Amino acid sequence: MRTFLLLVSCLVFAIVSVTGLRGTKTMRSPIEIFPDMVRQAKVKEQAPSYFFSDQRASRYPVPGTVPTTDPVDLPYLNTGTIGDYWGDGIPIPVTGETLKTGRERFEIFCSACHGSTGSGNGIATQYGLVGVPNYHSEHTRQMPDGQIFFVITHGQGLMLGYGANLSPEERWAVVAYIRALQLSQNAALSDVPIAERQRLEGK
Ligand code: HEC
C-alpha cells in the first residue's frame, strides 16, 4: 500500500511538473502539452514576410473594401455630419412615438437647464446657471438638425455631452422634440391644417 501511494504521488508530481510549469526562465522552450496558440506563425506590421511574393507583411485592403471605422465615414445617423458639413433632416422616422420618446428624454436630461418649453429658464437657472440659450432664438432655430445632434452628443461650452446616456436614435428623437417645441412658439398660420385654420379664423 505504501509503495502504491508513493508511486501515485511521484506520478502526480511528475505530471504536474511537466504540464503545470510554464514561464520558467530558460533558453529552451518549455514542454507544452496545451500550447493554446501561444506561439503561432504570424506576420508583424512593418516587418518583411517571405510568405508574400512582394515580401511585405503589411497588406493593402482587398479592392472594394468599404471603410467603416474612420469617424469621417460614419453615417449621418451617428454623427450629424455629412463630410465636413452639418446635415439637416432627421434620419429616423418621426412619428408620435418618436416625439413621445424625445419629450420623455428631454424632460429627464435637458429640461433642468433648458426648461420644459426650451426657453432656457430651467430650475438650474434659478440656482444661478447663466448662459443657457433660448431655443426660440433665431440662432438656435437656424441651427441645422445635425449640429443640434452634435451638441447633444458632445456638449458645448458649459453643457456636457449626452452621447453616453442617449442612443443615436434617442438623440434624434430629442432633436425632433426640440423642433416641435420651436414650432409651438413660432408657427405661422400656414402651418396649421386647413380644417383647424378655418376654426381659428372663425369660418
Ligand atoms: C447643465 C445644464 C444643461 C443641460 C442638462 C443641458 N444643456 Fe444644453 N446647453 C446648456 C448651456 C449652458 C448651453 C450653452 C453652451 C454654450 O454655448 O456655451 C447649452 C447649449 C445647448 C444647445 C445649443 C444652442 C445654441 O443656440 O447654441 C443645444 C441645442 C442644447 N443645449 C440642447 C440640449 C439638449 C437636447 C439637452 C438634453 C439632452 C441639453 N441641452 C442639456 C446647458 C445645459
Side-chain angles (χ1 to χ4, degrees):
M1 189 63 192
R2 277 180 65 187
T3 354
F4 177 70
L5 278 180
L6 202 69
L7 262 177
V8 170
S9 337
C10 284
L11 199 67
V12 168
F13 182 74
I15 291 176
V16 169
S17 322
V18 172
T19 59
L21 263 189
R22 301 183 70 185
T24 350
K25 282 193 178 148
T26 162
M27 294 305 283
R28 284 179 296 147
S29 24
I31 305 164
E32 288 171 316
I33 308 293
F34 303 111
D36 285 342
M37 298 174 79
V38 170
R39 264 160 281 280
Q40 53 185 295
K42 62 173 177 267
V43 291
K44 292 190 170 157
E45 71 283 353
Q46 306 296 335
S49 161
Y50 300 103
F51 180 78
F52 299 104
S53 57
D54 61 1
Q55 299 183 1
R56 288 190 214 180
S58 307
R59 312 304 303 165
Y60 285 110
V62 175
T65 305
V66 179
T68 55
T69 49
D70 186 343
V72 172
D73 292 302
L74 277 179
Y76 177 50
L77 180 90
N78 291 323
T79 60
T81 54
I82 298 174
D84 290 338
Y85 300 94
W86 301 120
D88 214 359
I90 296 186
I92 58 167
V94 180
T95 60
E97 209 48 47
T98 310
L99 289 174
K100 236 173 96 181
T101 307
R103 176 182 193 161
E104 191 206 27
R105 299 297 189 273
F106 181 84
E107 289 293 337
I108 295 171
F109 291 102
C110 324
S111 65
C113 297
H114 287 279
S116 284
T117 59
S119 336
N121 58 352
I123 183 99
T125 61
Q126 295 172 28
Y127 286 90
L129 180 66
V130 288
V132 183
N134 179 353
Y135 289 162
H136 311 296
S137 69
E138 205 47 33
H139 179 258
T140 316
R141 291 202 317 126
Q142 296 299 332
M143 275 173 98
D145 296 329
Q147 190 179 1
I148 296 184
F149 179 88
F150 191 89
V151 172
I152 301 177
T153 310
H154 301 286
Q156 174 181 303
L158 281 181
M159 180 186 145
L160 292 177
Y162 290 84
N165 309 76
L166 298 165
S167 71
E169 285 78 10
E170 288 171 324
R171 276 172 261 156
W172 283 115
V174 171
V175 175
Y177 184 65
I178 289 178
R179 291 305 187 209
L181 285 178
Q182 289 174 332
L183 253 187
S184 78
Q185 305 297 310
N186 264 294
L189 196 59
S190 56
D191 294 327
V192 181
I194 293 280
E196 285 296 313
R197 201 186 306 173
Q198 283 169 348
R199 201 173 56 82
L200 282 174
E201 289 171 331
K203 285 182 190 161

